[in-house]
Amino acid sequence: MSQTHVTADTLPPGDLSGFRDLQQLAYEAADTVAAGLGPGVTEREAARRIRDHLTERGVQDWFHTPFAWFGDRTAFRRFRTPLQFFPTDRRLEEGMPFILDCAPVRDGFVADIGYSGYLGDNPLHDQLMDDLHAHRQLILEHVRAGDTLQDVYRGVDGLLREQGYDNRHQVYPGRVIAHQVGKVQSRLPRAIVAGFGVRSLQTLFGDLVVERLHNRSPLWADGDISAHPATPGMWAVEPHLGFRDMGVKFEEILVVTEDDAFWLDDDLPHVRRWERRALTAAGTTEENR
């Protein structure tokens, strides 16, 4: 979404609430489907359940259709082609990690979310999720400071290496950790090609052309194309950490204005989880004094 002279006061409240409501709906779908997962459910079945949940609640189109990754596929190990991202017949087993990812479109608004979880018991997954919290803080602080997207990406890389993990968002097409999202404006008929909505792709490609004219990009990676501060607008950000055959991530909208940046919504499953863990840790500390 390319905008100029965007400040916190000039962002359209209706647009913010439209993006926020859809992001909440997308996370509700992932949360609901995650709660119903059990041994033997396939990635394809999980993705279909997300799609059904959202279409029943007014979603009309997709930036991309739902994904589900189970087990070692959460870390994108041995992924070589885009086709490997699509859901498979991999079945969920006890203790397995999973990631659910969807990007619905409703009334022109777009959300793109990522939800990490596991079936049963998995202490290592809990540790990775705990460590992911620092990346949400780092990204916001450095974007607010006006650092280039390239430098913020490298800052995430440095932090995850310090934590003992490796970068899995580099496996996404274009090595992106984020991309801009905006209201879909297209007269093309609704259609899905290779898992992506043609209307959303037309909007993204239009932004790509406009941004390149200004030596900027709506795609956030670690190359020189991202050697500029975040363009004002909405960014779907998805840091993805990997450790051996396990990956965890979140994906949510970061709002960037001319003079500030903020996460669109803090009432999200991973944020609530971090808050609960912090309260538990604080209570344990008090008990041990």
Side-chain angles (χ1 to χ4, degrees), residues 80-268:
R80 298 291 182 267
T81 71
L83 294 177
Q84 290 174 287
F85 287 95
F86 289 100
T88 70
D89 288 325
R90 169 71 65 87
R91 294 186 181 276
L92 195 62
E93 299 175 7
E94 198 69 24
M96 257 192 186
F98 59 81
I99 294 177
L100 307 176
D101 187 308
C102 64
V105 179
R106 185 177 66 177
D107 299 331
F109 295 102
V110 180
D112 198 348
I113 68 100
Y115 180 106
S116 295
Y118 56 87
L119 187 65
D121 185 53
N122 195 319
L124 178 59
H125 190 281
D126 283 335
Q127 183 61 58
L128 266 70
M129 281 299 297
D130 287 348
D131 290 341
L132 188 58
H133 185 201
H135 292 272
R136 190 176 191 261
Q137 297 172 316
L138 180 150
I139 289 166
L140 179 60
E141 290 170 2
H142 285 269
V143 171
R144 278 179 165 170
D147 294 348
T148 69
L149 297 179
Q150 183 184 48
D151 285 342
V152 182
Y153 190 112
R154 292 173 177 176
V156 170
D157 267 359
L159 176 57
L160 62 86
R161 283 195 297 268
E162 288 176 15
Q163 294 171 324
Y165 305 133
D166 63 309
N167 174 343
R168 304 320 297 157
H169 43 267
Q170 67 184 354
V171 184
Y172 288 108
R175 296 174 59 89
V176 298
I177 193 174
H179 59 86
Q180 280 190 286
V181 295
K183 294 189 75 172
V184 174
Q185 300 177 352
S186 171
R187 296 182 179 179
L188 293 175
R190 294 191 183 100
I192 302 296
V193 175
F196 287 82
V198 295
R199 288 179 164 206
S200 298
L201 287 179
Q202 184 190 39
T203 301
L204 180 62
F205 288 148
D207 287 345
L208 183 61
V209 171
V210 170
E211 291 297 284
R212 290 309 295 143
L213 291 175
H214 296 88
N215 293 316
R216 302 181 306 219
S217 173
L219 304 177
W220 177 347
D222 56 346
D224 290 343
I225 196 174
S226 297
H228 62 84
T231 306
M234 309 281 188
W235 291 84
V237 185
E238 52 182 331
H240 193 150
L241 314 184
F243 182 74
R244 298 176 181 169
D245 285 339
M246 185 182 303
V248 302
K249 75 165 187 171
F250 66 79
E251 184 173 12
E252 58 174 299
I253 291 176
L254 178 69
V255 182
V256 179
T257 71
E258 294 286 353
D259 53 9
D260 197 10
F262 54 91
W263 294 107
L264 178 63
D265 193 355
D266 285 326
D267 186 19
L268 301 177

Side-chain angles (χ1 to χ4, degrees), residues 61-88:
D61 201 359
W62 305 89
F63 176 69
H64 67 70
T65 54
F67 295 114
W69 303 298
F70 295 169
D72 63 344
R73 285 172 50 77
T74 60
F76 299 162
R77 303 301 180 192
R78 296 169 292 282
F79 276 32
R80 298 291 182 267
T81 71
L83 294 177
Q84 290 174 287
F85 287 95
F86 289 100
T88 70

